[in-house]
Amino acid sequence: MTTPSPVLPEPVPLTSLGGVSIAALGMRETVNLMTEAVRRHPRPGTPLYFTSANGEVMSRHARDIEFARLMDMADVISADGQPMVTMSRFVGDRALPERVATTDLYHEVARKALAEGVTFYLYGATENENRAAVATTQRLYPGLRIVGHHHGYLVGDALAAKVAEIDALAPDILWIALGVPREQAFVRDHGPLLRNVALIKTSGGLFNFLSGSRSRAPAWVQRIGFEWLWRLLQEPRRLFWRYFLTNPHSLYLMLTRSGDRWRTRRDKARDSRASDGQVDHGQTIVRTATDDGDRVVTWVKGA
């Protein structure tokens, strides 16, 4: 299964994993896709929307239909969880080549952005964390153009003004770190207003790690798929129940909602809802079929 080519610079191989369509791309392919999308800006007037999924996101996607809609709007969903990579070897349509963690992706994109003149805007986290994330980026990649940055605690008129300011600054890539599901809702609500932004990448806790307010697990812990445990040991009060509930649920979903059979059932259900006139709030559902028969769902912001 692949995505159609009219929007993205090139077709993207997908695997249906736990009910979520995950891009079967490695780190290098994802970086190249992002920078090529910026260069071509294939959807003028509307930014491309890249996001990521891990076990928690997969569980929420299955339990919360509104959040599922936010995720399904994305042009690309990367695998930001090593257990997903491991499970994809046994279920799904194809094996994922590797984990594409946003905290690693950012640095790879920054290196290429520096060479190609791609610009960034960093929006999200607290004021101190945001400022420190920018400082870290400038220290590691001197010459990289960060056209602006701001913390993620704006609402109402202040937020509307900031969105207009970001659009006027026209960054190639807008990195938004508001946490799930706020950052996905940001794309839905404000993406259509960011006509001069080429690509939005949701970033979760990226700025926390860049600022040093949180530390990543050692590389060997990441490789064996236990970074979640490292984070749990750092923040047990905040993360215990989240992982206790979502880790087993995401494993169950990967065992029961992966591959062609699940996708067929899902698409039949979507077609049934569409024929009954059940469309998303403020959005229009447009369906097309690719040459190989895959059903493609495009979410178009309503007027």
Side-chain angles (χ1 to χ4, degrees):
M1 180 173 64
T2 60
T3 59
S5 58
V7 173
L8 294 172
E10 57 189 51
V12 174
L14 301 176
T15 184
S16 181
L17 194 63
V20 184
S21 293
I22 304 295
L25 298 174
M27 183 67 71
R28 179 178 298 179
E29 292 82 8
T30 305
V31 171
N32 290 340
L33 179 64
M34 290 179 67
T35 53
E36 183 67 12
V38 165
R39 186 180 70 83
R40 295 191 189 182
H41 205 158
R43 191 163 58 201
T46 306
L48 293 178
Y49 164 28
F50 283 39
T51 191
S52 303
N54 55 18
E56 178 198 355
V57 169
M58 186 179 293
S59 175
R60 187 189 289 263
H61 182 277
R63 291 180 287 109
D64 184 342
I65 190 170
E66 292 300 329
F67 178 70
R69 288 166 176 163
L70 295 178
M71 289 295 294
D72 292 344
M73 288 170 57
D75 296 293
V76 171
I77 304 175
S78 297
D80 194 351
Q82 186 59 36
M84 296 171 63
V85 176
T86 302
M87 286 297 297
S88 73
R89 298 168 186 163
F90 307 100
V91 298
D93 306 296
R94 67 185 78 202
L96 297 171
E98 62 180 326
R99 179 188 181 195
V100 182
T102 304
T103 42
D104 298 321
L105 177 67
Y106 180 81
H107 294 284
E108 297 298 328
V109 174
R111 292 185 185 97
K112 193 159 187 178
L114 180 59
E116 298 187 5
V118 173
T119 60
F120 286 4
Y121 190 107
L122 277 60
Y123 180 77
T126 67
E127 183 174 356
N128 289 338
E129 286 173 324
N130 185 282
R131 188 183 303 112
V134 171
T136 297
T137 302
Q138 292 174 329
R139 174 175 55 82
L140 293 175
Y141 311 105
L144 176 63
R145 290 185 58 206
I146 299 178
V147 299
H149 64 95
H150 203 275
H151 67 76
Y153 292 88
L154 296 175
V155 295
D157 292 342
L159 176 57
K162 183 57 62 177
V163 169
E165 178 185 297
I166 294 172
D167 186 54
L169 291 169
D172 293 316
I173 302 178
L174 169 60
W175 301 85
I176 55 171
L178 302 175
V180 175
R182 286 183 60 213
E183 54 197 22
Q184 287 79 16
F186 180 97
V187 178
R188 176 198 61 198
D189 297 339
H190 305 292
L193 303 176
L194 295 167
R195 300 176 181 87
N196 296 310
V197 176
L199 188 151
I200 299 174
K201 176 65 180 78
T202 65
S203 306
L206 169 64
F207 299 171
N208 307 128
F209 296 114
L210 285 173
S211 69
S213 64
R214 296 178 192 166
S215 61
R216 291 200 69 189
W220 69 270
V221 175
Q222 297 178 42
R223 283 196 300 271
I224 63 174
F226 280 92
E227 187 166 17
W228 65 269
L229 181 58
W230 175 271
R231 292 192 61 196
L232 176 61
L233 294 174
Q234 289 184 313
E235 302 178 83
R237 185 170 298 180
R238 186 174 75 89
L239 297 177
F240 174 79
W241 284 109
R242 177 194 299 182
Y243 291 149
F244 182 78
L245 294 173
T246 62
N247 281 8
H249 188 217
S250 63
L251 177 59
Y252 168 80
L253 292 170
M254 285 187 281
L255 290 172
T256 60
R257 298 190 181 185
S258 298
D260 290 332
R261 186 174 300 177
W262 159 252
R263 187 170 60 252
T264 300
R265 294 201 309 269
R266 178 200 61 193
D267 289 342
K268 285 182 178 178
R270 282 178 173 170
D271 288 340
S272 176
R273 290 198 302 270
S275 64
D276 292 339
Q278 298 177 25
V279 298
D280 293 271
H281 301 298
Q283 295 174 331
T284 302
I285 298 180
V286 178
R287 283 185 170 77
T288 57
T290 60
D291 292 338
D292 57 3
D294 292 325
R295 300 296 289 175
V296 178
V297 182
T298 303
W299 305 85
V300 182
K301 187 70 178 180

